[in-house]
Amino acid sequence: RDGGLETPVESGDAGARRLPPSLFLGFAIASIGGPIALLSIFPGAAGDGVDSAGLVVLLAVGVFAAPVWIWFTYSGRVASPGGLTAFVDAAAGRRVALAHGWIWALAYFLYLPYTITQVVYDVLTPVFPGIQAYRNTFELVLPVLIVLLVLLPVRLVLVPLGVLAVAQLAAMLVVAWFTYRHTSTTFASSPKVNDVGRATGSTALLFVCASLPLYLGAEVRGANRTVRRVLVAAVAIVGVVFFVSALPLSGVPDELRDSAVPGAAIAQAYCGRALAVTVGLLTALSILALIVAEYVALARLLHWLHGPPVRTLVAWIAVPF
């Protein structure tokens, strides 16, 4: 503790055992969306503002820069398993932080099982209709697989998330390339203030899970310095790729944008089944990766709040999950 603010101490072998920045960056990128899921969520979130997709995404990234700046500022002094709640502790004291931490923990825990059902019914089934008879089995198996993954050492958890993050960004750019070739792109098509304003606010909220890497801040090599750099880099990378991918959506027919999984539908229409399957699978995996990221963050927050070992908490969270 330094004036009420937590600063991890790094030295010798302890520093060498910390997470490398590359793994931390992969985790941060996977936490935003995941990125390829944004292609399917954005048309519904933007509503009528999707016709000005380029303008909306640009404004949304600008709006989200405000919380990023706050997180960047606090990360210069606080790198803790408490993540955002540790920032609240530094700003407003322990009692307020406890309230914030438990509201955050309950909200994010409820997201875990709900999202499993969303992935099975709303993402996998439209892309792979043949699994319809096995949806109940998927709903039972996926949580078990996620728990087994999160029980591994954190380095082994972050490796597949990093690989998946790179694959998502690549697939987004491939889909964007085919979409540009088959549509006419407009940065802002007759933008209306109300439509663009609502779409900007909704789209900015899609980036909110960019805070999840903060909960690993005390475990990364370089601590405060690395957290700040990676936070900005991850938001910038995803923001640029998302902008490039969303820009041609203004020229995509409504029937594709309104489909169950727009990213896969667009890939199917402009390239073929192989790319549609790839995008659909990556979309499902990206959302499951976000569940993993939230699980990892949740265990560390509860450790920070009350002290039990992280692995014990991972096991206990698995019971209601």
Side-chain angles (χ1 to χ4, degrees), residues 135-188:
R135 290 181 300 190
N136 291 341
T137 301
F138 274 93
E139 281 193 281
L140 294 173
V141 170
L142 288 176
V144 173
L145 293 177
I146 288 173
V147 170
L148 292 176
L149 175 62
V150 178
L151 282 170
L152 295 174
V154 68
R155 282 174 178 261
L156 298 181
V157 176
L158 299 194
V159 168
L161 264 60
V163 172
L164 182 60
V166 173
Q168 290 180 69
L169 297 178
M172 290 172 73
L173 294 175
V174 171
V175 173
W177 167 252
F178 283 104
T179 309
Y180 279 117
R181 292 181 60 187
H182 291 87
T183 62
S184 56
T185 300
T186 305
F187 176 72

Side-chain angles (χ1 to χ4, degrees), residues 45-86:
D48 293 335
V50 74
D51 289 331
S52 301
L55 176 62
V56 166
V57 172
L58 196 62
L59 291 174
V61 173
V63 167
F64 194 71
V68 170
W69 174 250
I70 294 171
W71 301 343
F72 180 87
T73 301
Y74 273 94
S75 294
R77 297 173 291 167
V78 182
S80 162
L84 292 180
T85 302

Side-chain angles (χ1 to χ4, degrees), residues 69-295:
W69 174 250
I70 294 171
W71 301 343
F72 180 87
T73 301
Y74 273 94
S75 294
R77 297 173 291 167
V78 182
S80 162
L84 292 180
T85 302
F87 295 173
V88 175
D89 184 25
R94 183 70 178 181
R95 289 184 179 180
V96 178
L98 282 171
H100 173 275
W102 272 106
I103 291 170
W104 190 99
L106 290 172
Y108 272 75
F109 172 77
L110 292 174
Y111 181 89
L112 302 186
Y114 164 80
T115 308
I116 293 290
T117 301
Q118 178 195 10
V119 168
V120 173
Y121 281 81
D122 299 338
V123 180
L124 287 175
T125 301
V127 179
F128 307 100
I131 73 164
Q132 188 162 349
Y134 306 99
R135 290 181 300 190
N136 291 341
T137 301
F138 274 93
E139 281 193 281
L140 294 173
V141 170
L142 288 176
V144 173
L145 293 177
I146 288 173
V147 170
L148 292 176
L149 175 62
V150 178
L151 282 170
L152 295 174
V154 68
R155 282 174 178 261
L156 298 181
V157 176
L158 299 194
V159 168
L161 264 60
V163 172
L164 182 60
V166 173
Q168 290 180 69
L169 297 178
M172 290 172 73
L173 294 175
V174 171
V175 173
W177 167 252
F178 283 104
T179 309
Y180 279 117
R181 292 181 60 187
H182 291 87
T183 62
S184 56
T185 300
T186 305
F187 176 72
S189 177
S190 303
K192 298 178 181 178
V193 173
N194 288 342
D195 292 342
V196 170
R198 282 193 292 269
T200 297
S202 299
T203 303
L205 286 173
L206 300 180
F207 284 75
V208 71
C209 288
S211 65
L212 293 175
L214 298 172
Y215 295 85
L216 284 176
E219 299 173 53
V220 67
R221 192 180 305 150
N224 309 70
R225 182 179 65 256
T226 300
V227 170
R228 298 178 93 185
R229 291 176 177 176
V230 166
L231 179 65
V232 173
V235 173
I237 290 169
V238 174
V240 169
V241 175
F242 184 31
F243 173 77
V244 171
S245 303
L247 190 58
L249 291 180
S250 59
V252 171
D254 288 342
E255 59 266 25
L256 295 179
R257 296 191 309 213
D258 296 338
S259 62
V261 188
I266 292 168
Q268 174 92 36
Y270 298 143
C271 183
R273 180 64 179 166
L275 183 59
V277 167
T278 300
V279 171
L281 185 59
L282 284 174
T283 300
L285 289 174
S286 74
I287 299 172
L288 294 175
L290 184 57
I291 294 176
V292 172
E294 289 171 350
Y295 200 139

